[in-house]
Amino acid sequence: MKAAVAAAAAVLAGGVSASNHRHAHQALFEKRGHNASEVCVPGCTTIWKTITGEAGLWTPPPPPPATATAWPTGPAVVPTPIPQVCPTPGTYTFPATTIVVTETTTVCAASTTVVPSGTWTLGGVTTVVETATTVVCPYATTKTENGVVTSVLETTTYVCPSAGTYTIAPHTTTVTAATETVVVPVVSTYCPGTWTAPAVVTVVETATVIYCPFASSEVPVPATTWAPAPAPVPAAPTWEAPPKPAPTEDSKPKPTPPTSTPQLGGAGGKWAMTYTPYAHDSQCKSAEEVLSDVKKIAAAGFTTLRVYSTDCGTLPKVGAAARECGLSLIIGVFIGEVGCDNGSPDVAQQVGAIKAWAQWDLVKLVVVANEAIFNGFCSVSQLRDLIVHVKSELGGAGYGGPYTTTDVVSAWVGNDVSSICSVIDVVATNAHAYFNAGTAPSEAGKFVAGQLAIVEKVCNLPGYIMETGWPTAGNCNGAACPGVSEQATAISSIKAELGDKVVFFSYTDDPWKKPGSCNCEQHWGCGQLFSA
């Protein structure tokens, strides 16, 4: 199926999809949102759970009045996405359709998600009760008739014998193929207004079903999946400079601490590029070689470099080159398999190297760990403690700028990260559209923007992409195929959509890496696209 089909399916669910990354091709996750007054009585809290792939996340509309407890049992005329059957390959034209909704209506709709082989539990209603009680809850499920899967809304009475958490009516499916698109039933609420599904022309290569979504000209568009309620976080951070050490003859330059939410990002679609000072044979580059690279990156119009750690003399070499070329740095404390222990020699060595270097006027952001939760190197509490430790160490040495950590979307939404949100100043994620099988290169920008929107809601903080790119070689992943022209298309799409907020990955290819299961890990260099 061509990209138009994937795009139409994505529009069905709001245009953003679950996170996939170059280290995890299928990062599925559960999302929770609390709204007790809307769906369950008495005295319970309901968590809507949906696993999405090509689907999107949205903030649900305000709940109906508490007295509205009658749920529809028959068909309702509402603007649910229209399934259009394409029985054979060819070009299909679907006419525009208009529906007028006169009163707020809640029904069941269908979304789809791509899952790998295995048994998966999707949807359902999870209810948390504090005492033994009986709850009446609507839930979304599917029925199959003559091979057609239909999403329906049912109501069930469930006896909770004691305090605890109960999952009601989850949908379980078994996938035997390598990957398969499955239907996930979801509850949807439509507000009064005029809803129009525009005419669609699409080309398909195999028999399929296209979903044509409605948009409202009078009220906000309701999507078809539920998003997690934002995690509780403190008020937006303000900055307070740590005490500065007494000045000495060899005191290093100190920055002026920001007085409000940090202003990061660039202009013209170019902000930052990842850079590691490794030669193709994995040996450390010389200071002269680093300077040559950095000059090219600066000439291409970038203002910032992201470095991951302190090995290979990264800070002295890259810092000196950045200062000569007028660039800023995003520096990092890298966490690997040794884990998150604040007292580990690896962490101590990196923090010590940063404090000894101490060129704070070059530093725009400190990133503590890279995908540490996703890779299992840190628990949430361990990472939170590590961030606090690094802030204390660097703050005491004179750094007064912002901090963050970066991880894939599944790590942010699949864990209770409120404790991390409370100790960072901006939220960050790594988003690689290539690992979403439904994303063609031309749609990479929309995918990355959708990932960023998700994590910004998790912490209610400004968000930035710390890694994004597209490989020039490797295996095709559905509609996402690597290649020179494909990389150029994807990078152009990302640059146009949100280039001012992303760190492009990476400056050059990395032949020293293992190819990985995608045969692509060595081929992400994109500096040549910017004449860098």
Side-chain angles (χ1 to χ4, degrees):
M1 147 184 347
K2 292 189 178 293
V5 176
V11 172
L12 156 69
V16 293
S17 75
S19 173
N20 292 294
H21 182 260
R22 61 193 179 95
H23 299 306
H25 301 183
Q26 298 294 336
L28 302 176
F29 54 88
E30 296 182 349
K31 301 174 294 301
R32 300 183 179 185
H34 297 266
N35 196 343
S37 64
E38 184 176 32
V39 295
C40 282
V41 292
C44 65
T45 299
T46 298
I47 305 170
W48 294 96
K49 300 173 64 178
T50 306
I51 295 182
T52 65
E54 295 286 334
L57 292 93
W58 71 293
T59 302
T67 56
T69 57
W71 291 83
T73 57
V77 180
V78 294
T80 51
I82 304 171
Q84 303 283 11
V85 178
C86 304
T88 60
T91 301
Y92 292 83
T93 301
F94 304 116
T97 302
T98 299
I99 290 176
V100 177
V101 178
T102 58
E103 61 183 18
T104 300
T105 307
T106 300
V107 297
C108 185
S111 66
T112 59
T113 185
V114 178
V115 296
S117 60
T119 300
W120 303 94
T121 299
L122 314 175
V125 178
T126 297
T127 298
V128 181
V129 298
E130 298 180 355
T131 60
T133 187
T134 299
V135 296
V136 178
C137 289
Y139 65 94
T141 187
T142 59
K143 290 184 178 180
T144 303
E145 185 175 349
N146 297 326
V148 177
V149 178
T150 304
S151 295
V152 295
L153 188 67
E154 303 282 359
T155 300
T156 185
T157 300
Y158 195 88
V159 177
C160 305
S162 61
T165 302
Y166 299 86
T167 299
I168 302 172
H171 173 65
T172 301
T173 186
T174 300
V175 175
T176 57
T179 60
E180 183 176 319
T181 300
V182 297
V183 176
V184 181
V186 293
V187 176
S188 295
T189 298
Y190 295 89
C191 298
T194 300
W195 298 79
T196 301
V200 174
V201 178
T202 188
V203 179
V204 299
E205 296 177 347
T206 60
T208 189
V209 176
I210 304 298
Y211 287 87
C212 301
F214 283 79
S216 171
S217 59
E218 299 179 21
V219 294
V221 179
T224 55
T225 54
W226 290 84
V233 295
T238 55
W239 292 86
E240 182 177 346
K244 292 185 178 181
T248 61
E249 293 183 359
D250 62 344
S251 290
K252 302 290 179 66
K254 302 297 188 297
T256 300
T259 57
S260 61
T261 301
Q263 298 299 311
L264 301 172
K270 299 176 185 177
W271 171 37
M273 177 81 72
T274 66
Y275 183 80
T276 52
Y278 308 134
H280 286 178
D281 61 359
S282 79
Q283 298 302 305
C284 298
K285 289 185 175 182
S286 67
E288 292 74 17
E289 290 172 315
V290 170
L291 177 59
S292 176
D293 290 343
V294 173
K295 284 182 176 179
K296 295 174 184 176
I297 296 172
F302 289 91
T303 63
T304 306
L305 298 172
R306 182 192 173 195
V307 296
Y308 291 82
S309 183
T310 60
D311 62 330
C312 258
T314 291
L315 294 179
K317 293 176 185 177
V318 180
R323 186 177 295 282
E324 181 171 335
C325 297
L327 300 186
S328 300
L329 296 181
I330 299 170
I331 66 173
V333 176
F334 187 81
I335 301 300
E337 293 182 0
V338 295
C340 252
D341 184 4
N342 293 343
S344 75
D346 185 54
V347 170
Q349 184 277 327
Q350 292 183 72
V351 171
I354 295 172
K355 291 167 64 177
W357 175 71
Q359 298 294 308
W360 306 128
D361 60 317
L362 293 176
V363 181
K364 292 295 184 181
L365 179 66
V366 174
V367 181
V368 182
N370 187 77
E371 300 179 13
I373 294 177
F374 170 75
N375 285 306
F377 300 150
C378 299
S379 66
V380 170
S381 61
Q382 287 175 325
L383 182 55
R384 183 262 179 199
D385 291 345
L386 178 63
I387 295 170
V388 171
H389 171 71
V390 172
K391 290 176 70 173
S392 175
E393 290 289 320
L394 301 190
Y399 174 66
Y403 296 82
T404 192
T405 185
T406 187
D407 219 313
V408 296
V409 171
S410 59
W412 283 111
V413 302
N415 298 277
D416 179 1
V417 294
S418 57
S419 62
I420 292 178
C421 294
S422 68
V423 296
I424 60 176
D425 306 296
V426 297
V427 67
T429 187
N430 297 347
H432 292 282
Y434 164 76
F435 289 104
N436 185 299
T439 302
S442 60
E443 300 296 316
K446 292 181 180 178
F447 173 86
V448 174
Q451 300 291 279
L452 182 59
I454 293 170
V455 298
E456 286 181 323
K457 291 180 180 178
V458 170
C459 283
N460 193 28
L461 290 171
Y464 298 89
I465 300 291
M466 287 294 111
E467 276 187 19
T468 189
W470 195 277
T472 55
N475 304 331
C476 280
N477 178 33
C481 285
V484 174
S485 63
E486 288 82 356
Q487 184 194 60
T489 298
I491 294 297
S492 177
S493 173
I494 296 168
K495 180 174 176 287
E497 191 77 25
L498 71 167
D500 295 351
K501 301 186 73 173
V502 308
V503 181
F504 285 103
F505 178 90
S506 61
Y507 172 56
T508 61
D509 282 349
D510 297 315
W512 50 271
K513 289 184 178 179
K514 295 180 180 180
S517 59
C518 63
N519 289 315
C520 69
E521 294 287 356
Q522 301 167 329
H523 306 290
W524 292 76
C526 64
Q528 74 285 351
L529 295 177
F530 303 95
S531 299

